[in-house]
Amino acid sequence: MAERVTGEETAALPLPSGRLHHVVAQRLATQIVSGEAIPGQVFPAEVEHAEMLGVSRSVLREAFRILTAKGLVSSRPKAGTRINERRKWNLLDPDVLGWQIQCGANDEFLRDLFELRLVVEPQAAEMAAMRRDEGQLVDMANALDAMERFTLSTPKGRAADIRFHELLMEATPNEMLLALSNSISTAIASTTAIKQALDGSPRNAMPEHRALYTQIAEANPKQARKAMIALIELAHADTRIALRR
Protein backbone atom coordinates (compact mmCIF):
# COMPACT_ATOMS: atom_id res chain seq x y z
CA MET A 1 0.00 0.00 0.00
CA ALA A 2 1.33 3.43 -0.95
CA GLU A 3 2.54 5.62 1.89
CA ARG A 4 0.34 8.64 2.50
CA VAL A 5 1.42 12.22 3.07
CA THR A 6 0.49 13.00 6.65
CA GLY A 7 -1.55 15.89 7.93
CA GLU A 8 1.52 17.40 9.58
CA GLU A 9 3.30 17.51 6.22
CA THR A 10 0.42 19.12 4.33
CA ALA A 11 -0.87 21.60 6.92
CA ALA A 12 0.39 24.97 5.71
CA LEU A 13 -1.48 27.79 7.42
CA PRO A 14 -1.43 30.72 7.25
CA LEU A 15 -1.11 30.89 3.48
CA PRO A 16 0.57 34.00 2.02
CA SER A 17 -1.35 36.43 -0.16
CA GLY A 18 -1.77 35.83 -3.90
CA ARG A 19 -4.04 33.83 -6.18
CA LEU A 20 -4.90 31.11 -3.76
CA HIS A 21 -4.64 28.07 -6.02
CA HIS A 22 -1.19 29.21 -7.19
CA VAL A 23 -0.12 29.74 -3.59
CA VAL A 24 -1.32 26.26 -2.63
CA ALA A 25 0.39 24.76 -5.69
CA GLN A 26 3.66 26.41 -4.70
CA ARG A 27 3.36 25.19 -1.10
CA LEU A 28 2.73 21.60 -2.21
CA ALA A 29 5.43 21.78 -4.88
CA THR A 30 7.94 22.95 -2.30
CA GLN A 31 7.18 19.90 -0.18
CA ILE A 32 7.74 17.67 -3.20
CA VAL A 33 10.94 19.15 -4.64
CA SER A 34 12.50 19.55 -1.18
CA GLY A 35 12.02 15.83 -0.49
CA GLU A 36 9.73 16.46 2.46
CA ALA A 37 7.12 14.48 0.53
CA ILE A 38 8.64 11.73 -1.59
CA PRO A 39 7.70 10.00 -4.87
CA GLY A 40 5.02 7.37 -4.47
CA GLN A 41 3.36 9.07 -1.53
CA VAL A 42 -0.36 9.75 -1.80
CA PHE A 43 -1.93 12.97 -0.55
CA PRO A 44 -4.91 12.80 1.81
CA ALA A 45 -8.42 12.57 0.39
CA GLU A 46 -9.67 15.81 -1.13
CA VAL A 47 -12.09 16.83 1.60
CA GLU A 48 -9.61 16.06 4.38
CA HIS A 49 -6.73 17.73 2.56
CA ALA A 50 -8.69 20.91 1.80
CA GLU A 51 -9.67 21.19 5.46
CA MET A 52 -6.03 20.74 6.53
CA LEU A 53 -4.97 23.60 4.27
CA GLY A 54 -7.93 25.79 5.13
CA VAL A 55 -9.01 26.17 1.51
CA SER A 56 -11.94 25.08 -0.62
CA ARG A 57 -11.93 21.83 -2.59
CA SER A 58 -12.04 23.81 -5.85
CA VAL A 59 -8.86 25.69 -4.87
CA LEU A 60 -7.13 22.41 -4.05
CA ARG A 61 -8.25 20.88 -7.35
CA GLU A 62 -6.86 23.84 -9.30
CA ALA A 63 -3.57 23.60 -7.40
CA PHE A 64 -3.25 19.93 -8.29
CA ARG A 65 -4.08 20.69 -11.93
CA ILE A 66 -1.05 23.00 -11.98
CA LEU A 67 1.19 20.35 -10.45
CA THR A 68 -0.18 17.67 -12.78
CA ALA A 69 0.62 19.82 -15.84
CA LYS A 70 4.19 20.13 -14.57
CA GLY A 71 4.52 16.39 -14.04
CA LEU A 72 4.92 16.53 -10.25
CA VAL A 73 1.79 14.55 -9.43
CA SER A 74 -0.75 12.31 -11.09
CA SER A 75 -4.33 11.51 -10.09
CA ARG A 76 -6.42 8.42 -10.65
CA PRO A 77 -10.02 7.75 -9.64
CA LYS A 78 -10.21 6.07 -6.23
CA ALA A 79 -6.40 5.97 -6.01
CA GLY A 80 -5.92 9.61 -5.03
CA THR A 81 -3.19 12.06 -6.01
CA ARG A 82 0.28 10.55 -5.99
CA ILE A 83 3.70 12.19 -6.18
CA ASN A 84 5.48 11.20 -9.38
CA GLU A 85 9.03 9.96 -9.76
CA ARG A 86 11.47 12.76 -10.52
CA ARG A 87 12.03 11.46 -14.06
CA LYS A 88 8.42 12.40 -14.86
CA TRP A 89 8.80 16.01 -13.70
CA ASN A 90 8.97 18.74 -16.31
CA LEU A 91 12.38 19.85 -15.10
CA LEU A 92 12.67 22.63 -17.70
CA ASP A 93 9.41 24.27 -16.62
CA PRO A 94 10.38 27.68 -15.20
CA ASP A 95 8.27 27.15 -12.07
CA VAL A 96 9.78 23.72 -11.41
CA LEU A 97 13.28 25.13 -11.90
CA GLY A 98 12.52 28.02 -9.57
CA TRP A 99 11.03 25.76 -6.89
CA GLN A 100 14.07 23.51 -6.95
CA ILE A 101 16.48 26.42 -6.58
CA GLN A 102 14.30 27.91 -3.83
CA CYS A 103 14.55 24.61 -1.93
CA GLY A 104 18.33 24.47 -2.16
CA ALA A 105 20.68 24.08 -5.10
CA ASN A 106 23.34 21.43 -4.47
CA ASP A 107 26.45 20.94 -6.60
CA GLU A 108 24.85 18.21 -8.70
CA PHE A 109 21.79 20.31 -9.51
CA LEU A 110 23.95 23.33 -10.36
CA ARG A 111 26.15 21.16 -12.58
CA ASP A 112 23.11 19.96 -14.51
CA LEU A 113 21.74 23.49 -14.77
CA PHE A 114 24.95 24.99 -16.10
CA GLU A 115 25.51 22.06 -18.42
CA LEU A 116 22.09 22.83 -19.91
CA ARG A 117 23.21 26.41 -20.45
CA LEU A 118 26.44 25.19 -22.04
CA VAL A 119 24.47 23.03 -24.47
CA VAL A 120 22.03 25.78 -25.49
CA GLU A 121 23.54 29.24 -25.14
CA PRO A 122 26.88 28.94 -26.98
CA GLN A 123 25.04 27.72 -30.06
CA ALA A 124 22.51 30.52 -29.66
CA ALA A 125 25.36 33.06 -29.42
CA GLU A 126 26.93 31.68 -32.59
CA MET A 127 23.63 31.90 -34.46
CA ALA A 128 22.90 35.38 -33.11
CA ALA A 129 26.25 36.61 -34.40
CA MET A 130 25.26 35.47 -37.88
CA ARG A 131 21.60 36.53 -37.86
CA ARG A 132 21.11 39.54 -35.55
CA ASP A 133 19.86 42.81 -37.00
CA GLU A 134 20.86 46.35 -36.12
CA GLY A 135 17.79 46.94 -33.97
CA GLN A 136 18.60 43.90 -31.84
CA LEU A 137 22.17 45.09 -31.41
CA VAL A 138 20.91 48.47 -30.19
CA ASP A 139 18.56 46.77 -27.74
CA MET A 140 21.36 44.48 -26.47
CA ALA A 141 23.66 47.45 -25.96
CA ASN A 142 20.94 49.32 -24.06
CA ALA A 143 20.33 46.28 -21.85
CA LEU A 144 24.04 46.05 -21.03
CA ASP A 145 24.19 49.78 -20.27
CA ALA A 146 21.28 49.37 -17.85
CA MET A 147 22.89 46.29 -16.31
CA GLU A 148 26.10 48.24 -15.71
CA ARG A 149 24.32 51.34 -14.43
CA PHE A 150 22.04 49.60 -11.94
CA THR A 151 24.34 46.58 -11.19
CA LEU A 152 23.24 43.03 -10.45
CA SER A 153 22.61 43.95 -6.82
CA THR A 154 19.36 45.65 -7.86
CA PRO A 155 16.18 44.30 -9.45
CA LYS A 156 16.58 46.68 -12.40
CA GLY A 157 20.12 45.49 -13.06
CA ARG A 158 19.10 41.82 -12.89
CA ALA A 159 16.14 42.49 -15.19
CA ALA A 160 18.50 44.09 -17.71
CA ASP A 161 20.76 41.03 -17.54
CA ILE A 162 17.81 38.74 -18.29
CA ARG A 163 16.70 41.03 -21.11
CA PHE A 164 20.15 40.84 -22.71
CA HIS A 165 20.04 37.04 -22.74
CA GLU A 166 16.46 37.05 -24.04
CA LEU A 167 17.45 39.37 -26.88
CA LEU A 168 20.32 37.08 -27.76
CA MET A 169 17.93 34.13 -28.02
CA GLU A 170 15.52 36.20 -30.11
CA ALA A 171 18.35 37.10 -32.48
CA THR A 172 18.84 33.46 -33.48
CA PRO A 173 15.82 33.44 -34.53
CA ASN A 174 14.90 29.82 -33.94
CA GLU A 175 11.51 28.86 -32.53
CA MET A 176 12.84 25.73 -30.85
CA LEU A 177 15.55 27.67 -29.04
CA LEU A 178 13.06 30.38 -28.14
CA ALA A 179 10.92 27.71 -26.50
CA LEU A 180 13.79 27.23 -24.02
CA SER A 181 14.22 30.94 -23.39
CA ASN A 182 12.01 31.09 -20.27
CA SER A 183 13.86 28.16 -18.70
CA ILE A 184 17.23 29.75 -19.44
CA SER A 185 16.02 33.07 -18.04
CA THR A 186 14.82 31.37 -14.86
CA ALA A 187 18.17 29.63 -14.46
CA ILE A 188 20.06 32.90 -14.90
CA ALA A 189 17.77 34.89 -12.60
CA SER A 190 17.83 32.26 -9.87
CA THR A 191 21.57 31.66 -9.81
CA THR A 192 22.25 35.41 -9.94
CA ALA A 193 19.97 35.86 -6.94
CA ILE A 194 21.92 33.15 -5.09
CA LYS A 195 25.22 34.93 -5.77
CA GLN A 196 23.88 38.31 -4.72
CA ALA A 197 22.29 36.96 -1.53
CA LEU A 198 25.24 34.87 -0.34
CA ASP A 199 28.30 36.74 -1.60
CA GLY A 200 29.02 40.13 -0.05
CA SER A 201 31.16 41.31 -2.99
CA PRO A 202 30.43 39.21 -6.07
CA ARG A 203 32.71 39.47 -9.09
CA ASN A 204 31.77 42.07 -11.70
CA ALA A 205 30.16 40.15 -14.56
CA MET A 206 30.22 43.03 -17.05
CA PRO A 207 33.55 42.27 -18.82
CA GLU A 208 32.44 38.88 -20.18
CA HIS A 209 29.01 40.28 -21.12
CA ARG A 210 30.68 43.12 -23.03
CA ALA A 211 33.06 40.67 -24.70
CA LEU A 212 30.13 38.52 -25.81
CA TYR A 213 28.29 41.53 -27.19
CA THR A 214 31.37 42.66 -29.12
CA GLN A 215 31.67 39.31 -30.90
CA ILE A 216 27.97 39.32 -31.80
CA ALA A 217 28.15 42.92 -33.03
CA GLU A 218 31.21 42.09 -35.14
CA ALA A 219 29.44 39.06 -36.64
CA ASN A 220 32.08 36.67 -35.36
CA PRO A 221 30.17 33.44 -34.61
CA LYS A 222 33.06 31.25 -33.43
CA GLN A 223 34.33 33.88 -31.02
CA ALA A 224 30.77 34.56 -29.84
CA ARG A 225 30.49 30.87 -28.94
CA LYS A 226 33.77 31.01 -27.00
CA ALA A 227 32.73 34.20 -25.22
CA MET A 228 29.44 32.63 -24.13
CA ILE A 229 31.20 29.52 -22.84
CA ALA A 230 33.56 31.69 -20.78
CA LEU A 231 30.59 33.68 -19.39
CA ILE A 232 28.71 30.53 -18.33
CA GLU A 233 31.74 28.81 -16.80
CA LEU A 234 32.59 31.88 -14.74
CA ALA A 235 28.97 32.20 -13.58
CA HIS A 236 29.01 28.54 -12.48
CA ALA A 237 32.24 29.05 -10.54
CA ASP A 238 30.83 32.20 -8.91
CA THR A 239 27.66 30.39 -7.83
CA ARG A 240 29.59 27.51 -6.28
CA ILE A 241 31.82 29.96 -4.40
CA ALA A 242 28.79 31.87 -3.12
CA LEU A 243 27.17 28.67 -1.85
CA ARG A 244 30.32 27.65 0.00
CA ARG A 245 30.44 31.02 1.74
Side-chain angles (χ1 to χ4, degrees):
M1 183 175 179
E3 186 177 354
R4 300 188 70 85
V5 181
T6 68
E8 289 76 12
E9 290 169 326
T10 58
L13 297 177
L15 291 166
S17 60
R19 296 184 66 182
L20 198 52
H21 59 283
H22 287 291
V23 174
V24 173
Q26 180 174 355
R27 183 65 56 86
L28 297 174
T30 299
Q31 293 174 347
I32 294 169
V33 301
S34 69
E36 180 182 345
I38 62 175
Q41 284 187 303
V42 178
F43 284 99
E46 187 179 273
V47 174
E48 177 188 357
H49 198 177
E51 289 178 354
M52 289 175 183
L53 294 170
V55 299
S56 68
R57 294 170 64 185
S58 62
V59 165
L60 183 61
R61 285 193 208 107
E62 287 300 315
F64 276 131
R65 284 195 185 101
I66 293 172
L67 300 188
T68 299
K70 298 176 188 298
L72 297 182
V73 302
S74 56
S75 299
R76 294 170 58 187
K78 299 183 180 179
T81 300
R82 182 188 306 268
I83 299 170
N84 286 335
E85 297 290 335
R86 184 178 175 87
R87 61 185 173 79
K88 293 186 177 180
W89 299 0
N90 184 357
L91 295 174
L92 293 182
D93 180 276
D95 286 333
V96 177
L97 272 176
W99 290 329
Q100 290 183 95
I101 292 170
Q102 175 188 332
C103 291
N106 58 29
D107 281 347
E108 184 180 37
F109 177 79
L110 286 175
R111 181 205 65 199
D112 290 350
L113 195 61
F114 280 98
E115 283 180 351
L116 170 67
R117 291 189 61 187
L118 283 169
V119 168
V120 174
E121 291 183 275
Q123 180 63 33
E126 184 172 331
M127 294 165 68
M130 295 186 289
R131 300 176 179 177
R132 86 291 181 279
D133 59 36
E134 292 303 313
Q136 289 166 333
L137 284 178
V138 170
D139 289 342
M140 286 184 203
N142 288 338
L144 288 182
D145 287 344
M147 180 180 167
E148 188 162 34
R149 180 166 69 254
F150 294 112
T151 78
L152 291 177
S153 65
T154 70
K156 286 185 177 180
R158 293 192 291 273
D161 180 24
I162 295 302
R163 184 58 184 148
F164 172 77
H165 286 271
E166 288 175 344
L167 286 163
L168 186 151
M169 296 289 279
E170 291 171 12
T172 54
N174 180 295
E175 286 187 343
M176 301 303 172
L177 285 175
L178 285 172
L180 294 173
S181 185
N182 285 342
S183 297
I184 296 296
S185 294
T186 299
I188 294 169
S190 300
T191 53
T192 299
I194 290 172
K195 288 181 285 186
Q196 294 297 319
L198 300 180
D199 193 338
S201 54
R203 180 185 58 82
N204 180 14
M206 286 309 304
E208 60 263 29
H209 281 77
R210 292 288 187 190
L212 172 59
Y213 171 79
T214 296
Q215 298 306 327
I216 293 173
E218 293 179 356
N220 193 336
K222 297 301 181 186
Q223 292 304 314
R225 171 182 283 274
K226 290 181 180 179
M228 179 61 89
I229 290 172
L231 185 156
I232 295 169
E233 289 179 341
L234 284 169
H236 188 187
D238 289 345
T239 307
R240 292 182 68 186
I241 289 168
L243 285 171
R244 290 194 191 101
R245 290 179 178 175

